[in-house]
Amino acid sequence: MLMIHHQRPALTRAPGPATLRLPYSPVSAGAARLLVHAKLTEWKLPQLIDDAELIMSELVGNAARTGCQTSMMVGIRRASSDTVRLLVADGSATLPVLIDVGPDAESGRGLFLVDQLTRQRWGVTPWPHGKVVHATLTASTRT
């Protein structure tokens, strides 16, 4: 008697999001960039790596300057097949503000860069003890 065994197809699950707890320190930007690079490589979205690393550096740098003393959380989530969301949560209630800096300004361009690279797809969600700054990048709009 011939028996045929049917194997159930393996369920494949997209690689999940990643988060990392970091100290409030400028050196945390490097660890956050490594996280972003690793996840975008895993998700096969190399075209987003440069912009995502720059955005994460700016957001982590801003969080590091808040004066908080505990730790911040950084994360990356895949919103769709070609869209990712970068997140930085900190303990400061002070909201980031996009300012118009002059051509001779030596600082203040960070959120302007985030605004440009995300095509104005960034924002802030206040929390009872801080906030989450998020930025969204889509591969199909990268040129």
Side-chain angles (χ1 to χ4, degrees):
M1 177 162 149
L2 178 63
M3 295 192 63
I4 299 175
H5 294 283
H6 294 283
Q7 283 189 317
R8 296 174 82 182
L11 295 177
T12 57
R13 201 177 114 170
T19 57
L20 188 59
R21 184 177 300 274
L22 296 170
Y24 285 97
S25 166
V27 298
S28 292
R33 283 192 305 272
L34 289 173
L35 175 74
V36 165
H37 189 99
K39 289 309 286 187
L40 291 175
T41 299
E42 178 182 352
W43 292 336
K44 297 181 180 17
L45 292 170
Q47 67 273 39
L48 295 180
I49 290 174
D50 290 342
D51 289 351
E53 286 180 338
L54 178 58
I55 290 166
M56 187 60 87
S57 290
E58 292 296 335
L59 299 182
V60 168
N62 287 348
R65 288 188 289 277
T66 64
C68 294
Q69 299 299 312
T70 56
S71 60
M72 70 178 89
M73 292 293 293
V74 299
I76 181 169
R77 309 278 182 266
R78 193 163 188 179
S80 71
S81 63
D82 69 343
T83 302
V84 297
R85 181 168 271 197
L86 307 171
L87 306 120
V88 177
D90 66 51
S92 172
T94 303
L95 301 179
V97 177
L98 179 63
I99 57 174
D100 186 13
V101 297
D104 297 329
E106 293 183 18
S107 65
R109 289 190 177 85
L111 282 179
F112 175 78
L113 286 172
V114 171
D115 190 63
Q116 294 299 303
L117 292 172
T118 64
R119 294 187 163 92
Q120 296 79 45
R121 294 176 62 202
W122 71 277
V124 183
T125 303
W127 279 6
H129 301 287
K131 65 184 174 295
V132 177
V133 182
H134 53 86
T136 303
L137 281 173
T138 301
S140 61
T141 60
R142 308 300 340 137
T143 55

